[in-house]
Structures are given as structure tokens and as C-alpha cells.
Amino acid sequence: MQRADGAALLRTGRRALERADWESARSAYSAALGAGAGVADARDGLAQAQWFLGRVAEAIALREQAFEEHVRAGRCAEAARCAVW
């Protein structure tokens, strides 16, 4: 059940980012992190929301963590994308 809820939160966060609703994206990704769902993806999405909310230092720290999580999971393309940001 937690995974399904977490996946829904990740989708909600992605849709919020797509419509530039930064606060809703921040909220959805924070909730996904709390649910333990797609931690690297949730942290990456939260970083994007924080960036556009002007919380740059927090965004950078979150991206660094997401990068490390992607590397540990062997997700090289995702890690590279985080590094570029």
C-alpha cells in the first residue's frame, strides 16, 4: 500500500512541476520522501521545487543526495542528470 501511495505522490509531484506549481510539488515530494517512496526520485523532484522557490542552498544539497542515491542504485543516467543540474 505504501508503495502505491508513494508512486501516486511522485506522479503528483511531477505534474505539479510540469505546471510550475512549486509549492504543490514541494509538498508532494516531501510526502513521498516521508513514505519512503522512490527516495532518489523524490529527493530530486523536491530539489527542483526548492530551486524554483528560491531555496537554492537546500536544492543543491538535495541534488547532491539524490546524485549519491542514484549512483548507489546503479542509475548512471539519472546520476548524470543530477550532476548537470
Side-chain angles (χ1 to χ4, degrees), residues 14-26:
R14 174 58 49 203
R15 285 193 299 269
L17 285 179
E18 289 170 354
R19 66 177 185 273
D21 183 353
W22 316 127
E23 281 295 338
S24 293
R26 185 198 57 74

Side-chain angles (χ1 to χ4, degrees), residues 9-84:
L9 288 166
L10 290 173
R11 284 191 303 275
T12 298
R14 174 58 49 203
R15 285 193 299 269
L17 285 179
E18 289 170 354
R19 66 177 185 273
D21 183 353
W22 316 127
E23 281 295 338
S24 293
R26 185 198 57 74
S27 179
Y29 284 122
S30 291
L33 274 174
V39 175
D41 293 329
R43 203 174 310 279
D44 190 24
L46 180 56
Q48 289 180 57
Q50 295 289 61
W51 179 272
F52 289 113
L53 287 167
R55 299 176 182 136
V56 175
E58 292 172 37
I60 292 170
L62 286 163
R63 286 277 184 177
E64 289 172 346
Q65 293 170 354
F67 169 83
E68 291 169 5
E69 290 162 353
H70 285 307
V71 168
R72 279 194 299 274
R75 298 173 66 192
C76 296
E78 290 86 351
R81 187 178 46 74
C82 282
V84 168

